[in-house]
Amino acid sequence: MTASLLSLLHLCDSLFPLGAFAHSDGLEAAVHAGLVSNAADLDAWLTACLDEVIGRGEGPAVAAAWTAARAGDWEAIARLDRDLVAMRPAAESRAAMRTMGRRLIATWQTIHGGSASSGSALLDAHGGAALPVAFGIAAASAGIDRHSAGEGYAYTRLAASVSAAMRLMSIGQIEAHTLLARIRRRIPAVVDELERRGALPESFTPMLDIMTMTHRAVHSRLFRS
């Protein structure tokens, strides 16, 4: 097993202190509203997250951040980060992206140093780095190839949603992980497509955004967002 693969496994491990366990990305509000109540609903939610949130927004941001970090273009990373955060209409979602991104960069810098810390002052001046941007920077600094970084990020985000679902819904571990395995098999094709397009991040997920924005009104919340 190569060092870069081990680094990717470390970066994607649920033990890595991102604080992702505290966020549902709107899933809690969707469950409370009755929009996600069973395995079929959760499958549709995960599909939208993979195809739209990751495939068109966060995935391209990981790829662009990876490329800019390898080139040492920290101004480009700062612009990418501002654009990505501005695309999120919910304040809770913007805060969550920045909180997890700061934790990733700070932890990775402490453990490994290197290029992951080279632009930390610039990023701090812009409020830190959103999670997809931070992930791309860390992956580039660890010698993880761009495609693998995209796949790893996609899996990590989907796994976090499944973990949240198991705390919010009446769904067992086997059923939940069967769903995750099914959606996981689509990740390489989604990353291939976003690499082929080479497009900038974009966002059009109105229902997911509405659920994130209405999360604050949910009574007895388990998650921050």
Side-chain angles (χ1 to χ4, degrees):
M1 186 176 291
T2 64
S4 60
L5 177 56
L6 288 171
S7 294
L8 180 61
L9 291 173
H10 186 198
L11 188 59
C12 295
D13 198 302
S14 60
L15 290 174
F16 200 85
L18 294 181
F21 63 87
H23 305 278
S24 77
D25 293 320
L27 180 58
E28 184 169 23
V31 171
H32 184 264
L35 297 176
V36 178
S37 60
N38 53 46
D41 295 339
L42 179 58
D43 185 50
W45 180 274
L46 294 173
T47 297
C49 288
L50 177 58
D51 290 339
E52 301 300 330
V53 178
I54 296 170
R56 295 188 174 276
E58 296 182 5
V62 172
W66 186 96
T67 300
R70 287 291 293 267
D73 191 348
W74 297 100
E75 291 289 351
I77 287 175
R79 290 194 300 272
L80 170 68
D81 183 75
R82 288 195 299 269
D83 290 346
L84 185 65
V85 172
M87 291 178 189
R88 291 296 183 93
E92 292 85 353
S93 181
R94 295 193 296 271
M97 290 177 70
R98 280 277 168 80
T99 297
M100 290 187 284
R102 281 196 297 268
R103 289 181 178 178
L104 189 155
I105 287 292
T107 304
W108 200 257
Q109 177 181 342
T110 300
I111 297 171
H112 298 290
S115 62
S117 62
S118 299
S120 58
L122 177 60
L123 293 174
D124 286 344
H126 293 280
L131 180 59
V133 175
F135 195 98
I137 294 169
S141 76
I144 299 165
D145 69 89
R146 191 171 72 172
H147 195 278
S148 295
E151 291 182 338
Y153 181 85
Y155 174 78
T156 300
R157 294 292 278 157
L158 293 171
S161 293
V162 170
S163 176
M166 287 192 288
R167 284 176 278 172
L168 292 167
M169 301 169 53
S170 179
I171 186 170
Q173 290 184 338
I174 299 300
E175 188 175 22
H177 279 276
T178 298
L179 284 176
L180 180 59
R182 183 158 64 242
I183 197 76
R184 176 191 59 79
R185 287 192 286 270
R186 293 191 53 238
I187 290 175
V190 170
V191 175
D192 283 343
E193 175 61 18
L194 72 86
E195 291 270 5
R196 185 193 65 78
R197 290 198 321 270
L200 294 174
E202 57 188 77
S203 177
F204 185 72
T205 53
M207 182 55 69
L208 272 66
D209 291 336
I210 290 170
M211 289 300 100
T212 303
M213 286 187 282
T214 58
H215 179 264
R216 66 174 64 188
V218 175
H219 183 65
S220 300
R221 298 187 301 272
L222 295 178
F223 297 89
R224 295 180 185 173
S225 69

